[in-house]
Amino acid sequence: SLQKMPYLRGLIKESERLYPVLMVALRVLDKDAVLSGYHVPAKTRVMNLMYLMLRDETIFEEAEKIKPERWIRSSSSSSQRNPFSFTPFGFGPRMCIGRRIAELEMELLIARLVSEFRIECRNEEEVGLTFRLVGSPDRDIRLAFHQRHL
């Protein structure tokens, strides 16, 4: 049961945090706002640099480390985090309507793969991130799947 796999869900969220699909969120303010003490008038374009925010040490302790436990609800760090500091599927009326299905599919696929296969990364160099319209690997990710004998 996926409910008994909070670490898997946390690992997926860490992957989304460190390697976001959307690097930037652009919006046009519909009314005046105050952002970090600055008055920003309505109809101004604002940009949220998600890639930078998701690696900010003031928001995520040890931001460069993969720490799935930061997403487990019983951990103290999950209750202290601003809910808008991590929005891989957006939020509000423009949020991705397929969010729940996408999350469930990722969890099911990974759980099934690791239960049936030992997965080996065959890349000789670390795979980086390139910034196009969306974030994507800067080279092919080479994986080998070895059948587990249960």
Side-chain angles (χ1 to χ4, degrees):
S1 158
L2 291 175
Q3 286 78 21
K4 295 178 182 175
M5 298 183 186
Y7 205 80
L8 172 63
R9 183 172 288 127
L11 189 59
I12 291 169
K13 286 184 182 242
E14 277 295 88
S15 173
E16 292 172 321
R17 182 182 70 79
L18 289 169
Y19 305 100
V21 174
L22 295 176
M23 301 290 147
V24 175
L26 294 167
R27 296 289 183 265
V28 176
L29 296 179
D30 59 351
K31 58 184 177 183
D32 289 4
V34 176
L35 303 174
S36 296
Y38 293 94
H39 175 263
V40 183
K43 299 185 181 174
T44 300
R45 290 187 185 113
V46 294
M47 180 184 313
N48 177 3
L49 299 172
M50 308 239 284
Y51 180 81
L52 294 177
M53 182 182 75
L54 295 170
R55 290 171 181 263
D56 186 334
E57 292 280 335
T58 64
I59 299 171
F60 295 97
E61 186 177 312
E62 298 180 282
E64 293 295 324
K65 287 189 177 179
I66 297 171
K67 295 176 66 177
E69 57 276 1
R70 78 172 87 232
W71 303 101
I72 297 174
R73 289 193 180 172
S74 62
S75 75
S76 62
S77 64
S78 77
S79 61
Q80 297 170 357
R81 189 177 35 262
N82 182 321
F84 294 105
S85 64
F86 180 73
T87 55
F89 291 90
F91 61 92
R94 297 178 76 183
M95 184 172 87
C96 174
I97 61 171
R99 174 186 171 197
R100 298 278 187 227
I101 293 170
E103 289 174 336
L104 182 61
E105 284 181 343
M106 284 188 282
E107 292 168 15
L108 288 170
L109 175 66
I110 293 170
R112 178 100 185 250
L113 285 174
V114 298
S115 71
E116 293 187 21
F117 299 95
R118 184 177 56 81
I119 304 169
E120 174 189 0
C121 181
R122 294 236 172 123
N123 288 77
E124 293 179 10
E125 297 177 18
E126 186 171 329
V127 176
L129 193 60
T130 187
F131 305 100
R132 297 183 178 123
L133 181 60
V134 295
S136 58
D138 65 355
R139 64 189 56 143
D140 290 341
I141 299 174
R142 299 180 59 228
L143 299 175
F145 293 84
H146 304 282
Q147 185 78 46
R148 292 185 189 273
H149 301 285
L150 303 174

